[in-house]
């Protein structure tokens, strides 16, 4: 399952990266959105590879292939990439909410200024998560260097040492606060976009009655895509955060929970490009301009 997840996830994220880069080069996509998506696909790929490859090798009984330095790098990259994936998704949701906001609203001034902050915001996401996960290399070591088996958690191919409980608790509070804050912003931005799309559909409902069936209206399709994406995102990362907290409390988890954790951690990074390809009208066509370039509400992803 993990090996299939690696193949599907990496290929899906590579396709998404290539697709939106090509759209931007052809002038069909917003450069700001393309920049966020490039960071997001890179982070998603790192999440999948940094956890998937070691888990796959461990499944084939190759449990001593990583030395102390390798264990520290693999887990540090995984945690940083996971955080960047969450932050980039949050940034993308907020930017989309600002983009579809009407020009006559009180937030209209942000529509012109938002693209200027996309680059620095992406860099800040990486720096922030490097700082937040600076403890990971201290806690993780290879299986040959653990000196106190009662204070370590076996990760299959590496071990995690139990340090001072107060330090661990403080670290978990900080990480959990970061995840909850991002999940809250994503949910708020999604609800905000759905409300704008609903109001827009109400305004043009008489046109839809004569030309397009309500079920196939662009507002309905966009709303379904938004709700499906945010529900999938919140589900995967909520489960991932709960399991991570559980691991910090119970240092001897069962093997099946360890394997389930590996699948869940890479779940959304793997599913994200597939969801966009299957649920968004803009991405489902190869290098197409979604819903017309002169429509009032162009494609959320492209804009």
């Amino acid at each position: 399952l993990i090996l299939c997840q690696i193949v599907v996830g990496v290929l899906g994220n590579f396709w998404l990266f290539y697709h939106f880069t090509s759209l931007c080069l052809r002038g069909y996509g917003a450069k700001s959105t393309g920049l966020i998506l490039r960071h997001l696909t890179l982070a998603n790929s790192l999440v999948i590879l940094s956890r998937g490859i070691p888990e796959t090798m461990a499944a084939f009984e190759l449990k001593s292939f990583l030395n102390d330095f390798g264990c520290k790098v693999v887990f540090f990259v995984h945690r940083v990439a996971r955080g960047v994936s969450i932050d980039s998704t949050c940034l993308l949701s907020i930017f989309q909410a600002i983009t579809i906001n009407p020009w006559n609203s009180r937030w209209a001034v942000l529509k012109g200024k938002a693209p200027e902050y996309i680059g620095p915001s992406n860099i800040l996401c990486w720096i922030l998560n490097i700082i937040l996960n600076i403890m990971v290399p201290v806690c993780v070591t290879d299986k040959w260097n653990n000196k106190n088996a009662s204070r370590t958690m076996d990760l299959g191919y590496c071990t995690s040492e139990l340090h001072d409980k107060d330090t661990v608790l403080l670290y978990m509070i900080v990480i959990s606060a970061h995840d909850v804050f991002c999940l809250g912003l994503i949910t708020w931005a999604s609800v905000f976009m759905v409300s704008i799309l609903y109001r827009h559909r109400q305004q043009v409902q008489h046109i839809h009655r004569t030309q397009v069936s309500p079920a196939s209206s662009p507002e309905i399709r966009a709303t379904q895509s938004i709700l499906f994406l945010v529900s999938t995102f919140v589900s995967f990362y909520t489960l991932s955060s709960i399991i991570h907290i559980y691991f910090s409390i119970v240092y001897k988890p069962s093997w099946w929970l360890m394997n389930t954790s590996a699948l869940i951690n890479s779940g959304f990074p793997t599913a994200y490009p597939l969801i966009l390809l299957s649920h968004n009208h803009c991405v489902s066509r190869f290098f197409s301009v979604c819903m017309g370039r002169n429509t009032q509400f162009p494609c959320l992803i492209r804009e």
Side-chain angles (χ1 to χ4, degrees):
L1 286 175
I2 293 174
L3 189 59
C4 291
Q5 195 177 54
I6 294 173
V7 175
V8 173
V10 172
L11 289 178
N13 281 283
F14 174 78
W15 161 249
L16 205 60
F17 178 90
Y18 175 74
H19 179 77
F20 283 105
T21 301
S22 300
L23 283 179
C24 291
L25 293 176
R26 291 166 179 256
Y28 294 146
K31 293 183 178 180
S32 301
T33 302
L35 181 59
I36 300 174
L37 284 168
R38 285 194 289 272
H39 281 267
L40 180 57
T41 54
L42 174 61
N44 286 344
S45 299
L46 288 175
V47 170
I48 297 168
L49 293 173
S50 62
R51 189 65 183 270
I53 292 178
E55 291 286 346
T56 303
M57 297 180 71
F60 286 100
E61 302 297 330
L62 301 173
K63 297 184 178 181
S64 58
F65 57 91
L66 285 176
N67 57 17
D68 183 58
F69 178 76
C71 286
K72 295 180 185 300
V73 170
V74 164
F75 276 87
F76 182 67
V77 169
H78 176 76
R79 293 300 304 176
V80 171
R82 178 187 178 276
V84 173
S85 177
I86 297 176
D87 291 346
S88 297
T89 306
C90 180
L91 183 62
L92 181 62
S93 299
I94 294 174
F95 183 72
Q96 289 174 345
I98 294 173
T99 300
I100 71 169
N101 203 37
W103 281 104
N104 57 358
S105 68
R106 59 183 179 180
W107 285 15
V109 65
L110 294 177
K111 291 172 72 77
K113 293 184 178 180
E116 301 176 5
Y117 300 101
I118 295 300
S121 297
N122 281 309
I123 297 174
L124 182 62
C125 288
W126 289 95
I127 296 175
L128 174 64
N129 283 282
I130 288 174
I131 295 174
L132 285 176
N133 294 283
I134 200 69
M135 279 187 60
V136 173
V138 178
C139 299
V140 177
T141 183
D142 68 315
K143 300 189 70 172
W144 306 107
N145 282 338
N146 59 51
K147 299 178 181 179
N148 191 347
S150 63
R151 295 179 59 83
T152 61
M153 179 173 64
D154 187 2
L155 302 173
Y157 44 91
C158 297
T159 58
S160 179
E161 297 180 2
L162 176 63
H163 290 269
D164 181 68
K165 290 186 177 181
D166 293 335
T167 303
V168 173
L169 179 61
L170 178 62
Y171 174 72
M172 290 308 306
I173 291 175
V174 173
I175 295 297
S176 300
H178 166 265
D179 292 351
V180 170
F181 180 72
C182 290
L183 291 175
L185 283 178
I186 292 170
T187 304
W188 170 83
S190 301
V191 172
F192 180 77
M193 286 188 284
V194 169
S195 65
I196 289 179
L197 291 169
Y198 176 77
R199 290 197 300 267
H200 178 258
R201 181 173 180 271
Q202 293 295 106
Q203 294 173 2
V204 298
Q205 194 169 15
H206 64 282
I207 300 177
H208 290 167
R209 285 173 180 170
T210 58
Q211 296 182 2
V212 183
S213 63
S216 62
S217 67
E219 295 86 2
I220 294 296
R221 291 197 302 270
T223 299
Q224 292 173 345
S225 298
I226 291 170
L227 293 178
F228 190 83
L229 271 172
V230 71
S231 60
T232 306
F233 180 89
V234 171
S235 299
F236 272 112
Y237 280 108
T238 299
L239 284 174
S240 175
S241 298
I242 292 174
I243 292 176
H244 191 176
I245 294 173
Y246 177 77
F247 282 171
S248 66
I249 299 174
V250 180
Y251 245 57
K252 300 295 180 182
S254 58
W255 67 269
W256 67 266
L257 187 58
M258 294 290 296
N259 293 330
T260 303
S261 173
L263 288 171
I264 292 176
N265 282 333
S266 303
F268 187 79
T270 301
Y272 184 77
L274 303 180
I275 294 173
L276 288 186
L277 291 170
S278 60
H279 283 265
N280 199 289
H281 177 67
C282 321
V283 193
S284 61
R285 294 182 181 179
F286 182 73
F287 295 134
S288 62
V289 184
C290 56
M291 296 158 59
R293 299 190 67 178
N294 296 322
T295 55
Q296 182 178 352
F297 280 92
C299 169
L300 292 177
I301 300 299
R302 178 169 65 85
E303 293 295 329

